[in-house]
Amino acid sequence: MTKRKGCRNWRWLALWWHHFFLLWSTIDGQTRYSITEELKQGSVVGNLAKDLGLGVSEIFDRKLHVASEAGEQYFSVDAGKGELVVNDRIDREALCGQSASCVLPLQVVIEDPLQLFRVEVDIQDINDNAPRFPSNEITLEIAESTVVGVHFPLESAIDPDVGSNSLKSYTLSKDECFSIRVKEVGGGRKVPELILAKVLDREKKAVHKLLLTALDGGSPVRSGTAQITIRVLDINDNVPAFEKTSYKVSVSENAVEGALIVQTKATDMDDGQNGEIEYSFGAHTSDAMMSIFIIDHISGTIFLKGKLDFEANANYELDITAKDKGTPRMEGHCTVHVEVIDVNDNAPEIMLTSHPKPVREDSPNGTVVALISARDLDSGDNGKVRLQLPKTSQFALKPSFSHNYALVTSGPLDREKVSELNGQTRYSIPEELERGSLVGNLAKDLGLGLSDIFNRNLRVASEAGEQYFSVDAGKADGPIKYVEVLGGDMLSQSQSFRSCMSPMSEYSDFTLIKPSSTTDFKEVISVLDASLPDSTWTFESQQVSIEY
């Protein structure tokens, strides 16, 4: 009886490993669902088990779980039914802004055996937002001498919805002196402009009150309103006019504070104070915008005040006002479009999609050990990520999709020689290690040769900030050397250095000699108990004397 049970256990174990190697796969195809935003918690997105070709029992038995690349866990799996359900409130506008497409990528990971699926959920917009104006009260002062046909730009309404649910049009209450025109600017933004249709007469009517209405294209239509109050004033005939109604500039995201963005320029045909112009940002420019840009009120030049971040905001749109100093003050308007150019300022990130699994020493090549994904927040070529392992590694990376990889075995494993493998190079040293002491053979441990030391500019950087270690480029095996960091007042001055190969060092290290500003070179040498290269110094074939 015991013998039969032991045989059955062995047979079950062999069958399990057989299925592990044969059934594990990374699925290149992907499942896509489409839902509307604001669904109730527990709403069914789709039958995940059925669409992935799984039985309901496999959901629990194979430890299926869902991970969102967005970070927030908006979905979960009903293990009893195999359905993907809504786990939390989904606000499309908060998630994707006004982007035409809003897709949440999910990673479905099955632990036993390892299997990865990609699922996308397309979030559709509903008309849950009405257009609104930044201010419900708009006040304009217009001289009665203003000629017919002059345009007065008004503040745009804001509607977070997209597509047919977004802002579509404006209407204006009836007034024989004014009409409305909608102007479309960059990014599809619709700007209402008030047009003077008839000459004003202050003596007949000093104040005009108009109702501006913004309408979206949803069903039913939603709307928002703003009250326009126009005070008719005398004199100061000319409105400041910009040379351009729209300025377009491109600025690198690593531009320093104080960098010039663009100079706007407006002219006014009037004389004296009526022709003197003062520049400013539009009345409704946000505090966030003014923390990044600043304008010279006299010249109209815009400078960088804060830091740009392409990943946070790739485009800015500034409304600029030019007012004269007449009575009443007349104003002209223009728009500055700032495009932020991406630089490679984000380091790639490598993430483990699944925890590494133990692997048998007799596992065939191609056995999956772990699932890895990589990303880089930069755009274009700066955001492309390429992973590679050391040349001496016993593993390889198998690309899957969208920067996902499987870490697989690529060479023989021998548990008796190495029972555990780690991708990091680690050295242990005593606390009071003397300068110049050998720490380890870094080049050999990294699988590098002498040409790599020079051609690839190998160097060591410390995350702690202090530079405690350096690479000795004089040896082909490139050991790490301990370096004492010297500070003090001397470092605030311009200094010269002389570097020579020392015959006294077991490791053929560089001896760096720094002359003082108050002593000559030979005096410094005597203090350091060293000597300049002479006939007593000997050099091997790969060693040279170097001076700076």
Side-chain angles (χ1 to χ4, degrees), residues 41 57 61 84 89 101 155 165 178 189 194-195 210 275 284 307 311 320 371 416 436 452 461 500 510 519:
Q41 186 176 4
S57 61
D61 295 339
L84 183 68
R89 175 177 178 262
S101 174
E155 192 69 16
N165 296 325
F178 297 96
R189 188 166 69 107
L194 197 65
I195 303 174
L210 309 171
H284 299 286
K307 290 187 178 295
E311 285 69 37
I320 310 300
L371 303 179
E416 284 66 34
D452 294 316
C500 305
F510 284 94
T519 59

PDB file of all heavy atoms in Angstrom, residues 41 57 61 84 89 101 155 165 178 189 194-195 210 275 284 307 311 320 371 416 436 452 461 500 510 519:
ATOM      1  N   GLN A  41     -20.191  50.037  -8.450  1.00  0.00           N
ATOM      2  CA  GLN A  41     -19.281  48.988  -8.005  1.00  0.00           C
ATOM      3  C   GLN A  41     -19.957  47.632  -8.130  1.00  0.00           C
ATOM      4  O   GLN A  41     -21.118  47.467  -7.748  1.00  0.00           O
ATOM      5  CB  GLN A  41     -18.874  49.243  -6.549  1.00  0.00           C
ATOM      6  CG  GLN A  41     -17.811  48.276  -6.032  1.00  0.00           C
ATOM      7  CD  GLN A  41     -17.379  48.641  -4.621  1.00  0.00           C
ATOM      8  OE1 GLN A  41     -17.928  49.551  -4.017  1.00  0.00           O
ATOM      9  NE2 GLN A  41     -16.410  47.929  -4.093  1.00  0.00           N
ATOM     10  N   SER A  57     -13.163  27.170 -12.192  1.00  0.00           N
ATOM     11  CA  SER A  57     -12.378  26.611 -11.083  1.00  0.00           C
ATOM     12  C   SER A  57     -10.916  27.022 -11.166  1.00  0.00           C
ATOM     13  O   SER A  57     -10.226  27.104 -10.144  1.00  0.00           O
ATOM     14  CB  SER A  57     -12.491  25.086 -11.077  1.00  0.00           C
ATOM     15  OG  SER A  57     -11.976  24.547 -12.296  1.00  0.00           O
ATOM     16  N   ASP A  61      -7.898  27.988  -8.360  1.00  0.00           N
ATOM     17  CA  ASP A  61      -6.863  26.954  -8.267  1.00  0.00           C
ATOM     18  C   ASP A  61      -5.521  27.456  -8.796  1.00  0.00           C
ATOM     19  O   ASP A  61      -4.469  27.128  -8.250  1.00  0.00           O
ATOM     20  CB  ASP A  61      -7.288  25.702  -9.045  1.00  0.00           C
ATOM     21  CG  ASP A  61      -8.526  25.053  -8.429  1.00  0.00           C
ATOM     22  OD1 ASP A  61      -8.800  25.318  -7.239  1.00  0.00           O
ATOM     23  OD2 ASP A  61      -9.209  24.291  -9.134  1.00  0.00           O
ATOM     24  N   LEU A  84     -14.977  39.714 -14.772  1.00  0.00           N
ATOM     25  CA  LEU A  84     -14.235  40.931 -14.423  1.00  0.00           C
ATOM     26  C   LEU A  84     -15.272  41.986 -14.043  1.00  0.00           C
ATOM     27  O   LEU A  84     -16.172  42.298 -14.821  1.00  0.00           O
ATOM     28  CB  LEU A  84     -13.393  41.406 -15.604  1.00  0.00           C
ATOM     29  CG  LEU A  84     -12.502  42.630 -15.360  1.00  0.00           C
ATOM     30  CD1 LEU A  84     -11.385  42.270 -14.385  1.00  0.00           C
ATOM     31  CD2 LEU A  84     -11.913  43.126 -16.672  1.00  0.00           C
ATOM     32  N   ARG A  89     -15.025  53.527  -8.333  1.00  0.00           N
ATOM     33  CA  ARG A  89     -15.589  54.537  -9.227  1.00  0.00           C
ATOM     34  C   ARG A  89     -14.570  54.929 -10.297  1.00  0.00           C
ATOM     35  O   ARG A  89     -13.405  55.170 -10.006  1.00  0.00           O
ATOM     36  CB  ARG A  89     -15.996  55.771  -8.431  1.00  0.00           C
ATOM     37  CG  ARG A  89     -16.477  56.925  -9.293  1.00  0.00           C
ATOM     38  CD  ARG A  89     -16.942  58.089  -8.426  1.00  0.00           C
ATOM     39  NE  ARG A  89     -17.350  59.220  -9.259  1.00  0.00           N
ATOM     40  CZ  ARG A  89     -16.574  60.263  -9.532  1.00  0.00           C
ATOM     41  NH1 ARG A  89     -15.356  60.318  -9.035  1.00  0.00           N
ATOM     42  NH2 ARG A  89     -17.008  61.247 -10.294  1.00  0.00           N
ATOM     43  N   SER A 101      -8.973  59.149 -26.530  1.00  0.00           N
ATOM     44  CA  SER A 101      -8.963  57.726 -26.195  1.00  0.00           C
ATOM     45  C   SER A 101      -8.633  57.559 -24.724  1.00  0.00           C
ATOM     46  O   SER A 101      -7.759  58.234 -24.190  1.00  0.00           O
ATOM     47  CB  SER A 101      -7.937  56.984 -27.058  1.00  0.00           C
ATOM     48  OG  SER A 101      -7.809  55.645 -26.652  1.00  0.00           O
ATOM     49  N   GLU A 155     -13.652  84.858 -22.321  1.00  0.00           N
ATOM     50  CA  GLU A 155     -13.087  83.650 -21.724  1.00  0.00           C
ATOM     51  C   GLU A 155     -13.851  82.424 -22.195  1.00  0.00           C
ATOM     52  O   GLU A 155     -15.085  82.408 -22.234  1.00  0.00           O
ATOM     53  CB  GLU A 155     -13.148  83.746 -20.200  1.00  0.00           C
ATOM     54  CG  GLU A 155     -12.337  82.689 -19.482  1.00  0.00           C
ATOM     55  CD  GLU A 155     -10.842  82.896 -19.655  1.00  0.00           C
ATOM     56  OE1 GLU A 155     -10.449  84.004 -20.058  1.00  0.00           O
ATOM     57  OE2 GLU A 155     -10.079  81.953 -19.409  1.00  0.00           O
ATOM     58  N   ASN A 165     -19.968  64.897 -26.545  1.00  0.00           N
ATOM     59  CA  ASN A 165     -20.424  65.457 -25.276  1.00  0.00           C
ATOM     60  C   ASN A 165     -19.684  66.733 -24.891  1.00  0.00           C
ATOM     61  O   ASN A 165     -20.002  67.351 -23.883  1.00  0.00           O
ATOM     62  CB  ASN A 165     -20.257  64.429 -24.153  1.00  0.00           C
ATOM     63  CG  ASN A 165     -21.124  63.207 -24.349  1.00  0.00           C
ATOM     64  OD1 ASN A 165     -22.234  63.310 -24.851  1.00  0.00           O
ATOM     65  ND2 ASN A 165     -20.624  62.046 -23.958  1.00  0.00           N
ATOM     66  N   PHE A 178     -24.450  94.222 -30.509  1.00  0.00           N
ATOM     67  CA  PHE A 178     -23.447  93.167 -30.380  1.00  0.00           C
ATOM     68  C   PHE A 178     -23.916  91.845 -31.000  1.00  0.00           C
ATOM     69  O   PHE A 178     -25.109  91.538 -31.022  1.00  0.00           O
ATOM     70  CB  PHE A 178     -23.106  92.926 -28.904  1.00  0.00           C
ATOM     71  CG  PHE A 178     -22.496  94.110 -28.227  1.00  0.00           C
ATOM     72  CD1 PHE A 178     -23.284  94.989 -27.497  1.00  0.00           C
ATOM     73  CD2 PHE A 178     -21.140  94.364 -28.327  1.00  0.00           C
ATOM     74  CE1 PHE A 178     -22.724  96.091 -26.868  1.00  0.00           C
ATOM     75  CE2 PHE A 178     -20.578  95.457 -27.696  1.00  0.00           C
ATOM     76  CZ  PHE A 178     -21.370  96.328 -26.973  1.00  0.00           C
ATOM     77  N   ARG A 189      -9.739  74.260 -29.083  1.00  0.00           N
ATOM     78  CA  ARG A 189     -10.432  75.108 -28.110  1.00  0.00           C
ATOM     79  C   ARG A 189     -11.290  76.135 -28.830  1.00  0.00           C
ATOM     80  O   ARG A 189     -10.837  76.786 -29.766  1.00  0.00           O
ATOM     81  CB  ARG A 189      -9.410  75.808 -27.212  1.00  0.00           C
ATOM     82  CG  ARG A 189     -10.040  76.557 -26.038  1.00  0.00           C
ATOM     83  CD  ARG A 189      -8.978  76.933 -25.016  1.00  0.00           C
ATOM     84  NE  ARG A 189      -8.076  77.956 -25.507  1.00  0.00           N
ATOM     85  CZ  ARG A 189      -8.086  79.227 -25.094  1.00  0.00           C
ATOM     86  NH1 ARG A 189      -8.969  79.623 -24.195  1.00  0.00           N
ATOM     87  NH2 ARG A 189      -7.233  80.083 -25.572  1.00  0.00           N
ATOM     88  N   LEU A 194     -16.862  88.636 -28.861  1.00  0.00           N
ATOM     89  CA  LEU A 194     -17.958  89.606 -28.959  1.00  0.00           C
ATOM     90  C   LEU A 194     -17.624  90.592 -30.072  1.00  0.00           C
ATOM     91  O   LEU A 194     -16.511  91.118 -30.124  1.00  0.00           O
ATOM     92  CB  LEU A 194     -18.113  90.339 -27.623  1.00  0.00           C
ATOM     93  CG  LEU A 194     -19.411  91.096 -27.381  1.00  0.00           C
ATOM     94  CD1 LEU A 194     -20.592  90.128 -27.326  1.00  0.00           C
ATOM     95  CD2 LEU A 194     -19.319  91.897 -26.087  1.00  0.00           C
ATOM     96  N   ILE A 195     -18.553  90.808 -30.995  1.00  0.00           N
ATOM     97  CA  ILE A 195     -18.320  91.691 -32.139  1.00  0.00           C
ATOM     98  C   ILE A 195     -19.242  92.900 -32.035  1.00  0.00           C
ATOM     99  O   ILE A 195     -20.457  92.754 -31.810  1.00  0.00           O
ATOM    100  CB  ILE A 195     -18.573  90.953 -33.464  1.00  0.00           C
ATOM    101  CG1 ILE A 195     -17.676  89.710 -33.549  1.00  0.00           C
ATOM    102  CG2 ILE A 195     -18.319  91.875 -34.653  1.00  0.00           C
ATOM    103  CD1 ILE A 195     -17.971  88.852 -34.764  1.00  0.00           C
ATOM    104  N   LEU A 210     -25.673  91.495 -21.319  1.00  0.00           N
ATOM    105  CA  LEU A 210     -25.862  90.372 -22.248  1.00  0.00           C
ATOM    106  C   LEU A 210     -25.705  89.057 -21.503  1.00  0.00           C
ATOM    107  O   LEU A 210     -24.964  88.957 -20.512  1.00  0.00           O
ATOM    108  CB  LEU A 210     -24.841  90.437 -23.385  1.00  0.00           C
ATOM    109  CG  LEU A 210     -24.730  91.773 -24.134  1.00  0.00           C
ATOM    110  CD1 LEU A 210     -23.535  91.739 -25.071  1.00  0.00           C
ATOM    111  CD2 LEU A 210     -26.006  92.046 -24.912  1.00  0.00           C
ATOM    112  N   GLY A 275      -1.251 106.012 -25.680  1.00  0.00           N
ATOM    113  CA  GLY A 275      -0.478 105.115 -26.532  1.00  0.00           C
ATOM    114  C   GLY A 275       0.548 104.296 -25.768  1.00  0.00           C
ATOM    115  O   GLY A 275       1.232 103.459 -26.361  1.00  0.00           O
ATOM    116  N   HIS A 284      -7.714  85.586 -16.278  1.00  0.00           N
ATOM    117  CA  HIS A 284      -8.044  84.276 -15.724  1.00  0.00           C
ATOM    118  C   HIS A 284      -6.882  83.287 -15.811  1.00  0.00           C
ATOM    119  O   HIS A 284      -7.093  82.073 -15.747  1.00  0.00           O
ATOM    120  CB  HIS A 284      -9.266  83.697 -16.439  1.00  0.00           C
ATOM    121  CG  HIS A 284     -10.493  84.545 -16.286  1.00  0.00           C
ATOM    122  ND1 HIS A 284     -11.216  84.613 -15.118  1.00  0.00           N
ATOM    123  CD2 HIS A 284     -11.125  85.389 -17.141  1.00  0.00           C
ATOM    124  CE1 HIS A 284     -12.235  85.436 -15.264  1.00  0.00           C
ATOM    125  NE2 HIS A 284     -12.201  85.923 -16.498  1.00  0.00           N
ATOM    126  N   LYS A 307      10.113  75.426 -13.320  1.00  0.00           N
ATOM    127  CA  LYS A 307      10.681  74.290 -14.055  1.00  0.00           C
ATOM    128  C   LYS A 307       9.622  73.678 -14.970  1.00  0.00           C
ATOM    129  O   LYS A 307       8.457  73.571 -14.613  1.00  0.00           O
ATOM    130  CB  LYS A 307      11.196  73.226 -13.081  1.00  0.00           C
ATOM    131  CG  LYS A 307      12.432  73.662 -12.311  1.00  0.00           C
ATOM    132  CD  LYS A 307      12.973  72.493 -11.498  1.00  0.00           C
ATOM    133  CE  LYS A 307      14.251  72.892 -10.753  1.00  0.00           C
ATOM    134  NZ  LYS A 307      15.330  73.211 -11.695  1.00  0.00           N
ATOM    135  N   GLU A 311       6.729  65.433 -19.163  1.00  0.00           N
ATOM    136  CA  GLU A 311       5.853  64.334 -18.799  1.00  0.00           C
ATOM    137  C   GLU A 311       4.604  64.832 -18.072  1.00  0.00           C
ATOM    138  O   GLU A 311       3.553  64.191 -18.116  1.00  0.00           O
ATOM    139  CB  GLU A 311       6.596  63.331 -17.906  1.00  0.00           C
ATOM    140  CG  GLU A 311       7.587  62.447 -18.658  1.00  0.00           C
ATOM    141  CD  GLU A 311       8.795  63.216 -19.167  1.00  0.00           C
ATOM    142  OE1 GLU A 311       9.256  64.129 -18.463  1.00  0.00           O
ATOM    143  OE2 GLU A 311       9.257  62.930 -20.289  1.00  0.00           O
ATOM    144  N   ILE A 320      -2.328  86.756 -23.418  1.00  0.00           N
ATOM    145  CA  ILE A 320      -1.577  87.974 -23.107  1.00  0.00           C
ATOM    146  C   ILE A 320      -2.455  89.193 -23.413  1.00  0.00           C
ATOM    147  O   ILE A 320      -3.117  89.250 -24.455  1.00  0.00           O
ATOM    148  CB  ILE A 320      -0.270  88.055 -23.929  1.00  0.00           C
ATOM    149  CG1 ILE A 320       0.502  86.734 -23.796  1.00  0.00           C
ATOM    150  CG2 ILE A 320       0.566  89.230 -23.469  1.00  0.00           C
ATOM    151  CD1 ILE A 320       0.898  86.371 -22.386  1.00  0.00           C
ATOM    152  N   LEU A 371       8.654  37.001 -14.679  1.00  0.00           N
ATOM    153  CA  LEU A 371       8.123  37.938 -15.672  1.00  0.00           C
ATOM    154  C   LEU A 371       8.572  39.344 -15.304  1.00  0.00           C
ATOM    155  O   LEU A 371       8.461  39.759 -14.154  1.00  0.00           O
ATOM    156  CB  LEU A 371       6.592  37.868 -15.718  1.00  0.00           C
ATOM    157  CG  LEU A 371       5.991  36.483 -16.013  1.00  0.00           C
ATOM    158  CD1 LEU A 371       4.473  36.572 -16.001  1.00  0.00           C
ATOM    159  CD2 LEU A 371       6.482  35.972 -17.353  1.00  0.00           C
ATOM    160  N   GLU A 416      25.011  22.073  -7.203  1.00  0.00           N
ATOM    161  CA  GLU A 416      26.148  21.788  -6.328  1.00  0.00           C
ATOM    162  C   GLU A 416      27.214  22.885  -6.399  1.00  0.00           C
ATOM    163  O   GLU A 416      27.946  23.114  -5.440  1.00  0.00           O
ATOM    164  CB  GLU A 416      26.767  20.435  -6.700  1.00  0.00           C
ATOM    165  CG  GLU A 416      25.969  19.214  -6.226  1.00  0.00           C
ATOM    166  CD  GLU A 416      24.625  19.100  -6.916  1.00  0.00           C
ATOM    167  OE1 GLU A 416      24.539  19.478  -8.096  1.00  0.00           O
ATOM    168  OE2 GLU A 416      23.650  18.666  -6.259  1.00  0.00           O
ATOM    169  N   GLY A 436      43.555  53.055  -1.542  1.00  0.00           N
ATOM    170  CA  GLY A 436      44.332  52.269  -2.502  1.00  0.00           C
ATOM    171  C   GLY A 436      44.147  50.773  -2.374  1.00  0.00           C
ATOM    172  O   GLY A 436      44.689  50.020  -3.165  1.00  0.00           O
ATOM    173  N   ASP A 452      36.676  47.725 -22.923  1.00  0.00           N
ATOM    174  CA  ASP A 452      35.433  48.256 -22.371  1.00  0.00           C
ATOM    175  C   ASP A 452      35.707  49.323 -21.324  1.00  0.00           C
ATOM    176  O   ASP A 452      34.952  50.284 -21.173  1.00  0.00           O
ATOM    177  CB  ASP A 452      34.608  47.132 -21.730  1.00  0.00           C
ATOM    178  CG  ASP A 452      34.116  46.124 -22.751  1.00  0.00           C
ATOM    179  OD1 ASP A 452      33.649  46.582 -23.806  1.00  0.00           O
ATOM    180  OD2 ASP A 452      34.195  44.919 -22.488  1.00  0.00           O
ATOM    181  N   ALA A 461      29.610  55.302  -9.400  1.00  0.00           N
ATOM    182  CA  ALA A 461      28.870  56.405  -8.762  1.00  0.00           C
ATOM    183  C   ALA A 461      28.198  55.875  -7.508  1.00  0.00           C
ATOM    184  O   ALA A 461      27.673  54.772  -7.477  1.00  0.00           O
ATOM    185  CB  ALA A 461      27.828  56.987  -9.713  1.00  0.00           C
ATOM    186  N   CYS A 500      50.722  60.099 -11.600  1.00  0.00           N
ATOM    187  CA  CYS A 500      51.764  59.193 -12.065  1.00  0.00           C
ATOM    188  C   CYS A 500      51.463  57.779 -11.594  1.00  0.00           C
ATOM    189  O   CYS A 500      50.769  57.583 -10.595  1.00  0.00           O
ATOM    190  CB  CYS A 500      53.140  59.612 -11.533  1.00  0.00           C
ATOM    191  SG  CYS A 500      53.609  61.308 -11.916  1.00  0.00           S
ATOM    192  N   PHE A 510      47.155  54.689  -9.566  1.00  0.00           N
ATOM    193  CA  PHE A 510      47.572  56.045  -9.879  1.00  0.00           C
ATOM    194  C   PHE A 510      47.854  56.793  -8.583  1.00  0.00           C
ATOM    195  O   PHE A 510      47.051  56.760  -7.637  1.00  0.00           O
ATOM    196  CB  PHE A 510      46.462  56.793 -10.642  1.00  0.00           C
ATOM    197  CG  PHE A 510      46.335  56.394 -12.072  1.00  0.00           C
ATOM    198  CD1 PHE A 510      45.434  55.427 -12.461  1.00  0.00           C
ATOM    199  CD2 PHE A 510      47.139  56.985 -13.044  1.00  0.00           C
ATOM    200  CE1 PHE A 510      45.308  55.046 -13.777  1.00  0.00           C
ATOM    201  CE2 PHE A 510      47.015  56.614 -14.366  1.00  0.00           C
ATOM    202  CZ  PHE A 510      46.111  55.655 -14.733  1.00  0.00           C
ATOM    203  N   THR A 519      53.225  76.525  -2.143  1.00  0.00           N
ATOM    204  CA  THR A 519      54.482  75.755  -2.171  1.00  0.00           C
ATOM    205  C   THR A 519      54.735  75.277  -3.576  1.00  0.00           C
ATOM    206  O   THR A 519      53.833  75.202  -4.387  1.00  0.00           O
ATOM    207  CB  THR A 519      54.395  74.546  -1.228  1.00  0.00           C
ATOM    208  OG1 THR A 519      53.316  73.726  -1.638  1.00  0.00           O
ATOM    209  CG2 THR A 519      54.182  74.977   0.224  1.00  0.00           C
TER     210      THR A 519
END
